[in-house]
DNA sequence: CTCCAACATTACAATATTTCTATATAACTA
DNA sequence: TAGTTATATAGAAATATTGTAATGTTGGAG
């Protein structure tokens, strides 16, 4: 892997590596949601939510639809859901393990379980 | 997902989200390697390699074995290989896609392919 | 013990990220 | 139009990350 590719992959990971952004993606897995509802669920200041939403929109992770005064965000690149499932698996069992064990886990990975 | 969990997941992602760290993991996928060899392969200053290796060791991603004056690093939690495969898939086809498409991709995800 | 090689650690400047506060915009409603 | 609600943005302050250069540590050779 050359440095340029590595930089790009790192950028993708960084785009998601933030507690509020992760929680936003979790909520949006169930479907689109407006900023106000997200703010209420997350318990963070409105500006913080808006900033993180804008950031993820810029990075093509989310998309935004407007309806009157409300802005509805949803996941644009569903790949990110897959990606997060991999991190969750990683976190759930953070001990050392072999490649064979991992292979079994990959085979049993499902979306929405 | 509560904030504490989100913070932990974010920490794991951040531990990997750096071009040099990604390249180190790529190299160690093939087996353990000493710092000097890694430095040569990566083309970065020795201090940078040592810093990033130490960081990933602290975060339980790598482990270190010493033999005389050399330090051999290897991947401790093989889950991280799985995780990176997911990012690569994400990066390869960064367009928007549906959950069903993703499911097919998950089913076909293999280590070392 | 002295020197050298292989790594690790530290200090510091540069940069990037995050958060906060305040303010701006845009679409309704009366 | 004035007021209100929903969201976005700007700018400053706090914090975190990174790279560089210098120095410290450890183990082996002589």
């Amino acid at each position: 892997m050359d440095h340029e590719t590595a930089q790009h992959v790192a950028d993708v990971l960084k785009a998601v590596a933030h507690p509020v952004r992760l929680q936003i993606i979790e909520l949006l897995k169930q479907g689109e949601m407006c900023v106000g509802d997200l703010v209420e669920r997350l318990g963070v200041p409105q500006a913080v939510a808006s900033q993180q939403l804008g950031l993820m929109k810029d990075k093509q992770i989310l998309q935004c639809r407007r309806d009157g005064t409300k802005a509805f965000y949803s996941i644009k690149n569903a790949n990110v859901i897959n990606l997060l499932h991999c991190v969750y698996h990683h976190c759930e069992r953070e001990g050392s393990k072999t490649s064979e064990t991992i292979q079994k886990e990959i085979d049993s990975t499902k979306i929405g379980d």
Side-chain angles (χ1 to χ4, degrees), chain A residues 24-63:
Chain A
I24 288 173
I25 295 171
E26 270 303 296
L27 289 169
L28 294 183
K29 264 167 62 176
Q30 303 158 44
E32 68 172 20
M33 210 175 288
C34 73
V35 181
D37 289 350
L38 284 167
V39 166
E40 195 181 342
R41 292 291 214 93
L42 296 168
V44 300
Q46 177 264 322
V48 169
S50 189
Q51 281 159 357
Q52 303 301 345
L53 286 166
L55 193 150
M56 287 196 281
K57 193 178 126 197
D58 288 348
K59 306 216 170 164
Q60 308 294 316
I61 294 170
L62 303 182
Q63 59 197 354

